[in-house]
Amino acid sequence: MISSQYEKDILDIPQHYNKLEVVTQNGEKFLSGEIEIKDEEGKIWETYSVLIKGSRQYPNMFPILFETGNAFPKIADWHVNIDESCCIDVPESEIIICKNGLHAKEFIERYCIPYLANQKYRELEGYYLYGEYSHGIFGKIEFYQSKLKARSPLQMVQMFDFILKGQILNRTAQCPFCHKMKFRNCHKDAFEELSIIKPYIYFDGKEQLIPFFKQNPNYILPSS
Ligand SMILES: [Zn+2]
């Protein structure tokens, strides 16, 4: 059994998604069937065959989505992991999203269906409607920048340090990065959120971002 919580949470999902059923294979319960992508008028745009399995860290990490109908290539460029599971978000972001536990039903609504809709859009139009994270280090930088809105790579590294040190600032204190601004109006929420993933902040910074910024002194952060 991968996650008893997951096996319990999925029992009433077929009531909401009648094309999904709970199956048991090798002692593991998971969801199998179809997910329909509908347009605004409720017209079915595409139907995807899927398996949705539990993960060990569920509900503090996403369940694992597999598309089984060969609807899109199982390669990184199509946001598919090496084990052929769908790559819905970077783990850093996943942990923050699931910080209070994310129920399997919410996962389907808020992450599975948008992921599959985005795949369909790309199949038709050749690109992703809602943008996408790049792969590898650029994906990490984009993720951190979407939260931190740093003005420079150096400032991003300084923010990492600040988060790792876990300094407590009063909400009305001046932000050490934005000056004049009150902390609660700019970086307070982002810093609190990112402090949930301190081990990632530490390793991504030390192993990837800092060496990358050193090798590429003229690199400009993506705008967010
Ligand atoms: Zn700030």
Side-chain angles (χ1 to χ4, degrees):
M1 190 184 293
I2 301 283
S3 161
S4 54
Q5 181 70 44
Y6 180 74
E7 297 195 349
K8 206 171 123 245
D9 284 356
I10 58 177
L11 293 177
D12 69 346
I13 284 186
Q15 289 169 26
H16 305 278
Y17 295 93
N18 58 18
K19 300 227 162 139
L20 288 176
E21 57 175 351
V22 177
V23 298
T24 306
Q25 216 174 67
N26 302 323
E28 184 189 346
K29 273 196 182 71
F30 54 88
L31 292 165
S32 172
E34 291 178 341
I35 286 187
E36 290 170 336
I37 308 299
K38 295 177 183 163
D39 67 14
E40 279 151 22
E41 282 99 52
K43 199 171 126 255
I44 295 168
W45 197 28
E46 182 63 282
T47 301
Y48 285 99
S49 300
V50 297
L51 298 178
I52 308 172
K53 297 190 164 194
S55 58
R56 270 174 221 292
Q57 302 97 322
Y58 177 89
N60 299 111
M61 289 286 271
F62 287 163
I64 302 165
L65 171 68
F66 294 91
E67 188 279 320
T68 55
N70 255 327
F72 46 85
K74 296 299 175 286
I75 53 172
D77 186 51
W78 278 77
H79 291 243
V80 177
N81 295 312
I82 291 167
D83 67 358
E84 303 213 336
S85 62
C86 297
C87 179
I88 294 178
D89 208 340
V90 293
E92 288 86 339
S93 171
E94 214 177 297
I95 292 170
I96 291 172
I97 290 166
C98 301
K99 66 184 172 191
N100 300 320
L102 183 77
H103 193 284
K105 182 166 170 280
E106 260 186 291
F107 168 71
I108 294 171
E109 279 162 16
R110 287 165 51 193
Y111 299 97
C112 270
I113 291 173
Y115 171 90
L116 293 169
N118 219 3
Q119 297 291 51
K120 184 65 193 169
Y121 191 88
R122 174 170 172 182
E123 185 196 316
L124 297 174
E125 304 293 333
Y127 62 94
Y128 287 115
L129 177 59
Y130 302 110
E132 59 172 315
Y133 282 126
S134 312
H135 306 295
I137 184 153
F138 297 107
K140 286 182 193 287
I141 294 173
E142 285 165 26
F143 163 71
Y144 287 119
Q145 180 65 346
S146 73
K147 304 274 180 195
L148 293 173
K149 299 172 175 50
R151 283 193 304 271
S152 65
L154 175 66
Q155 192 179 60
M156 182 177 278
V157 172
Q158 289 167 340
M159 288 175 174
F160 273 28
D161 273 348
F162 188 88
I163 293 165
L164 287 172
K165 283 179 188 144
Q167 284 157 320
I168 310 284
L169 271 193
N170 191 295
R171 34 201 308 283
T172 56
Q174 218 178 67
C175 176
F177 299 99
C178 304
H179 305 294
K180 292 180 186 157
M181 287 283 277
K182 281 184 182 142
F183 193 45
R184 66 156 189 266
N185 293 332
C186 54
H187 284 98
K188 183 175 178 286
D189 291 349
F191 287 1
E192 275 173 9
E193 216 172 50
L194 290 174
S195 69
I196 299 167
I197 52 162
K198 273 188 190 176
Y200 281 91
I201 301 267
Y202 177 74
F203 284 106
D204 286 345
K206 183 167 163 276
E207 309 283 335
Q208 300 203 28
L209 271 58
I210 294 171
F212 173 81
F213 293 149
K214 274 195 184 138
Q215 282 160 22
N216 301 277
N218 298 320
Y219 176 76
I220 295 170
L221 291 173
S223 55
S224 54

